């Protein structure tokens, strides 16, 4: 596994097997860091639950979940924009166009952060009580939310993905759980309060963003961005269909927010902080599957873009069938593992037998994560093939199904209703993505 930082060092092959090997090489660097980071995340989560207790951990989960959700809502998936349009510029060796694309995406990140700060101020002023945020927590909550928004680094991530520096991206990402773990240990011994944990999480976000920018400065990409000057007309001419892709990818990520963050808010509103704490712990464990599918998606996206440009659709169809078979098999194994050891892990991490009651929630959420993992290759194909509107439609219908299920079930069965809603969104979205990918490959094969 090697990083490839120059265009000449990124050979493209018409054989799907070459793309699969590249995906596996990219994924190797991501998994190498994520294996250690997954252990760290369980450790700092266990420290937080044991130190804060069920109710305060629920408040902590609501605060951090709301901030992360807001960052996802206002943020654009500029890393996908950089990869999708930057590949052609790198192939031609057009550094000026590449610099303009980089700069435009980073300005977009900055603009979304400013919008997010305004929204955060309004939300905290109007709905802080409903989110369980006491007046004494307002200042620290505002600081954490600002750090979450100002450390948006999607475009920087895209630059590293485009140049196949997955090792550097993995190193930068590893800062977040490492700082959270150190901060959680310090908070537990020196100041076992919700405030201290918020400060630890704030430090982690800022440190990770700093590591990304340091990496770009060392590679020379930051100098390229500084030299570039953005002209909107020229940018659109160099990157056809750029506005549509930006809007569609943002819509897809915002819809993903509905399935990952909003259920926690609903549980907190219906059941209170304690219920939110139990749901958050189950969600955190189940999200290991989601994170795995995100890793595969991010590793695959650059190669999917290259493959769609260079190989016949029939070969793409065969590669997709192989990927689906492998990912579905892995998803089934992980789901069985969660079913066997999920309850003792919940109790061990939570440090309280009361968390065993979250086991049914964990099963529904893990099943949803398994579905996402099984179809992980579908969405990158639609995005790389300029079918982002199709991906958005599939997600939107899945989210609509989720909201119907949650509104009907939450008042009747509590947090389990939110878990079933997440499962419903994953199932409906996966079925629709499968249909749309099948249609795309079939139509492309005829052309």
């Amino acid at each position: 596994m090697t990083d490839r930082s120059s265009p000449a060092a990124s050979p493209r092959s018409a054989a799907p097997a070459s793309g699969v090997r590249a995906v596996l090489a990219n994924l190797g660097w991501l998994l190498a860091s994520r294996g250690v980071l997954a252990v760290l995340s369980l450790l700092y989560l266990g420290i937080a639950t044991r130190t804060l207790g069920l109710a305060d951990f629920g408040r902590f989960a609501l605060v951090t979940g709301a901030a992360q959700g807001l960052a996802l809502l206002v943020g654009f998936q500029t890393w996908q924009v950089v990869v999708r349009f930057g590949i052609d510029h790198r192939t031609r060796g057009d550094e000026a166009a590449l610099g303009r694309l980089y700069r435009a995406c980073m300005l977009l990140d900055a603009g979304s952060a400013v919008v997010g700060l305004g929204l955060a101020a309004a939300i905290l002023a109007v709905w802080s009580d409903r989110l369980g945020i006491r007046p004494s927590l307002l200042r620290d909550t505002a600081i954490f939310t600002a750090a979450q928004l100002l450390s948006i680094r999607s475009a920087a991530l895209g630059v590293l993905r485009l140049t196949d520096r997955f090792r550097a991206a993995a190193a930068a990402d590893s800062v977040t759980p490492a700082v959270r773990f150190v901060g959680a240990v310090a908070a537990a011994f020196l100041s076992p309060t919700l405030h201290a944990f918020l400060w630890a999480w704030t430090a982690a976000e800022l440190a990770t963003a700093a590591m990304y920018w340091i990496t770009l400065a060392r590679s020379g990409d930051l100098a390229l961005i500084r030299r570039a000057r953005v002209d909107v007309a020229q940018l659109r001419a160099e990157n056809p269909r750029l506005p549509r892709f930006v809007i569609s990818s943002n819509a897809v990520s915002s819809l993903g927010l509905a399935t990952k963050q909003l259920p926690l808010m609903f549980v907190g509103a219906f059941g209170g902080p304690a219920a939110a704490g139990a749901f958050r712990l189950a969600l955190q464990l189940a999200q290991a599957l989601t994170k795995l599918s995100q890793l595969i998606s991010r590793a695959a996206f650059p190669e999917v873009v290259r493959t769609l440009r260079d190989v016949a659709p029939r070969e793409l169809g065969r590669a997709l069938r192989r990927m689906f078979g492998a990912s579905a098999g892995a998803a089934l194994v992980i789901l069985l593992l969660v079913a066997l050891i999920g309850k003792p892990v919940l109790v061990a991490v939570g440090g309280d037998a009361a968390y065993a009651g979250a086991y049914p929630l964990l099963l529904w959420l893990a099943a949803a994560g398994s579905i996402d993992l099984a179809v992980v290759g579908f969405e990158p194909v639609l995005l790389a093939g300029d079918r982002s509107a199709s991906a958005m439609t599939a997600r939107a219908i899945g989210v609509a199904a989720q909201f119907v299920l949650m509104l009907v079930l939450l008042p009747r069965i509590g947090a389990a209703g939110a878990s079933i809603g997440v499962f419903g969104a994953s199932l409906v979205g996966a079925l629709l993505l499968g249909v749309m990918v099948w249609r795309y490959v079939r139509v492309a094969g005829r052309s």
Side-chain angles (χ1 to χ4, degrees), residues 278-357:
F279 183 85
R280 179 68 179 107
L281 182 58
L283 183 63
Q284 181 78 15
L285 295 177
Q287 277 183 340
L289 289 174
T290 304
K291 288 179 181 178
L292 179 58
S293 64
Q294 287 174 347
L295 291 178
I296 296 174
S297 178
R298 287 178 177 182
F301 189 68
E303 299 306 323
V304 169
V305 173
R306 296 182 179 108
T307 300
L308 287 183
R309 188 181 60 195
D310 296 334
V311 307
R314 291 188 187 88
E315 294 174 337
L316 175 63
R318 287 194 290 269
L320 274 174
R321 286 192 292 273
R322 289 197 298 269
M323 180 181 287
F324 174 74
S327 58
L332 181 60
V333 170
I334 294 174
L335 181 58
L336 291 173
L337 185 64
V338 170
L340 290 173
I341 67 171
K343 184 178 290 187
V345 170
L346 280 169
V347 175
V349 174
D352 190 326
Y355 283 106

Side-chain angles (χ1 to χ4, degrees), residues 25-26 39 47 54 56 94 118 135 148 185 208 257 276 313 326 335 346 377 415:
N26 296 343
V39 174
I47 294 170
L54 189 56
D56 266 355
D94 191 344
Q148 185 82 41
V185 171
T208 304
L257 152 72
L335 181 58
L346 280 169

